[in-house]
């Protein structure tokens, strides 16, 4: 299967995808809001923001000075277009897998689920 058009390797890692998805729903977001919403450390978020900014996907603005300095972030139009294209590509991948998953006979699905349940029961009994 080939990768659909619009799939963006830069956005795809889960942390960056979460950052971009959060920013797609807002005009500007404060650094602490993003950090807390995604349960990231300051350094982890800074690294991801820097990577996305270098690609032209984000604009970062620092306001104020000293202890009152605030960092605000927003998606650029390029970032928004890349995110929308990536989401469309992910949908195409999922939709492409749909008919194959539906083709599995119900008895095989039930057997697989039963086997998983038995494995889970054994794991719980071993605790």
């Amino acid at each position: 299967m080939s990768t659909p058009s619009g799939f963006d390797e830069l956005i795809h890692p889960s942390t960056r995808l979460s950052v971009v998805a959060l920013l797609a729903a807002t005009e500007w977001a404060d650094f602490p809001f993003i950090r807390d919403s995604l349960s990231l450390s300051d350094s982890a978020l800074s690294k991801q923001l820097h990577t996305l900014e270098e690609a032209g996907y984000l604009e970062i603005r620092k306001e104020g000075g000293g202890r009152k300095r605030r960092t605000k972030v927003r998606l650029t139009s390029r970032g928004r277009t890349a995110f929308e294209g990536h989401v469309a590509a992910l949908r195409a991948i999922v939709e492409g897998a749909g008919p194959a998953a539906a083709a599995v006979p119900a008895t095989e699905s039930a057997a697989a689920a039963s086997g998983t349940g038995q494995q889970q029961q054994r794991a719980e009994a071993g605790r």
Side-chain angles (χ1 to χ4, degrees), residues 7-127:
F7 188 89
D8 192 312
E9 293 285 346
L10 184 74
I11 292 175
H12 191 67
S14 62
T15 302
R16 283 189 221 133
L17 183 57
S18 296
V19 168
V20 175
L22 181 67
L23 292 172
T26 185
E27 182 64 31
W28 287 92
D30 290 324
F31 185 95
F33 172 76
I34 301 167
R35 178 197 61 213
D36 296 345
S37 295
L38 302 178
S39 299
L40 296 171
S41 66
D42 286 355
S43 61
L45 178 56
S46 291
K47 181 179 177 180
Q48 300 307 326
L49 293 180
H50 180 71
T51 299
L52 291 164
E53 181 184 34
E54 281 187 335
Y57 290 0
L58 300 182
E59 178 182 346
I60 299 175
R61 226 183 248 173
K62 300 196 184 262
E63 299 175 344
R67 294 173 112 331
K68 296 192 181 225
R69 188 173 183 125
R70 291 178 48 183
T71 300
K72 298 180 82 163
V73 184
R74 77 175 180 104
L75 275 181
T76 61
S77 59
R78 179 178 180 180
R80 191 168 301 278
T81 299
F83 174 66
E84 290 168 357
H86 189 68
V87 169
L90 291 174
R91 284 191 177 121
I93 291 169
V94 171
E95 289 168 2
V104 174
T107 55
E108 287 182 34
S109 297
S114 174
T116 303
Q118 290 170 356
Q119 290 172 348
Q120 187 176 23
Q121 287 172 349
R122 280 188 228 122
E124 290 173 359
R127 288 185 192 157

